[in-house]
Amino acid sequence: GAVVSQHPSWVICKSGTSVKIECRSLDFQATTMFWYRQFPKQSLMLMATSNEGSKATYEQGVEKDKFLINHASLTLSTLTVTSAHPEDSSFYICSARKSGNTIYFGEGSWLTVV
Amino acid sequence: KQEVTQIPAALSVPEGENLVLNCSFTDSAIYNLQWFRQDPGKGLTSLLLIQSSQREQTSGRLNASLDKSSGRSTLYIAASQPGDSATYLCAVDLTGGGNKLTFGTGTQLKVEL
C-alpha cells in the first residue's frame, strides 16, 4: 500500500536554530502534500498546502517566513522551522494526496525546542 | 467557520463492549467525512470515509454513519478489543481532494481487559 514517510521522527534543537522535516511519498507521486501541527491533547491544525513546483499556500495565522515549505519533487516536501522557539515545540504531521482523492498521512515528527 | 466537535473526549470500556463515538460539525456543506485512528505519538490511519451522498460505511467491526443535514456522524465499534485503544479523530472535507480537512479534537478510547 501507499506509504508516506517523515524524517526525523523526533528532533531536539536549540532556540534560534532552524530545523528541517522531510515528508516523502514512498511509492507514489504526490503533486500536493499538506502540513499539520498538533499540540498535546489538541487536534490537528492545517498549516499549509505544499504544491510541487509552486509556492505553498499557507493557512491564516501561519507565518510563511517562519515555516518554509519546499516541494521540489513529486515525492518530497520539506518543512523548515526557522529561528525556532520553545513555543514551536509540537507534533508535525504531513499528508500526501495520491491520484484521485486518497490521502495518506505520515508518522509525524516530534519537535522539541530547548 | 467549520467547527468539529467530538464527544466524549475520553472513554474507557471493558473488552467486548459495543461503543459509539460521536462527531458533530457546524457546516453541513461537506464533501466527505473521515474517521481516523491515531496511536500515541504516531500518525493517522484512515478507517472509514463517507461521501456526502452516503449514509454509512462499514469495515469489519467498524460502522460509520453520516447525517449531513443534522451535522452528525457516529463511529460504532463492535466487540471492542484492547487493540482498539487509541485516539479516534473525525475530519470533514469542505472542498474535496483532502485540501481542507478540519479535524475534531478526538476521543481517547481505552479498552480494558
Side-chain angles (χ1 to χ4, degrees), chain A residues 34 36 38 41 43-44 46 49 59 91 93 97 101 103 105-107 110, chain B residues 34 36 38 41-44 89 96-101 103-105 108:
Chain A
F34 307 92
Y36 294 83
Q38 184 180 31
K41 297 190 181 298
S43 192
L44 281 73
L46 179 65
T49 302
E59 294 300 300
F91 189 51
I93 307 179
R97 185 169 69 193
N101 292 333
I103 302 290
F105 281 82
E107 287 286 306
W110 283 100
Chain B
Q34 281 193 80
F36 294 89
Q38 184 177 31
K42 298 290 187 179
L44 277 65
L89 298 165
N99 286 354
K100 294 282 186 179
L101 291 182
F103 284 84
T105 50
Q108 190 173 3

Side-chain angles (χ1 to χ4, degrees), chain A:
Chain A
V3 177
V4 174
S5 174
Q6 279 187 242
H7 178 80
S9 300
W10 57 270
V11 58
I12 301 173
C13 70
K14 292 183 178 180
S15 290
T17 63
S18 296
V19 60
K20 181 185 290 185
I21 301 170
E22 295 183 346
C23 178
R24 294 182 184 273
S25 56
L26 296 185
D27 60 356
F28 66 96
Q29 293 182 332
T31 56
T32 306
M33 293 183 176
F34 307 92
W35 286 96
Y36 294 83
R37 68 187 298 180
Q38 184 180 31
F39 291 108
K41 297 190 181 298
Q42 296 187 26
S43 192
L44 281 73
M45 297 296 293
L46 179 65
M47 298 176 66
T49 302
S50 173
N51 304 297
E52 187 271 335
S54 64
K55 292 182 179 181
T57 303
Y58 290 81
E59 294 300 300
Q60 188 174 9
V62 178
E63 300 176 59
K64 62 180 181 181
D65 294 329
K66 179 170 183 62
F67 299 99
L68 300 179
I69 291 173
N70 184 276
H71 196 153
S73 77
L74 287 170
T75 59
L76 174 65
S77 175
T78 60
L79 168 68
T80 301
V81 183
T82 62
S83 186
H85 290 282
E87 56 264 32
D88 297 325
S89 298
S90 184
F91 189 51
Y92 293 86
I93 307 179
C94 72
S95 66
R97 185 169 69 193
K98 197 176 180 180
S99 58
N101 292 333
T102 306
I103 302 290
Y104 297 93
F105 281 82
E107 287 286 306
S109 299
W110 283 100
L111 170 64
T112 301
V113 184
V114 297

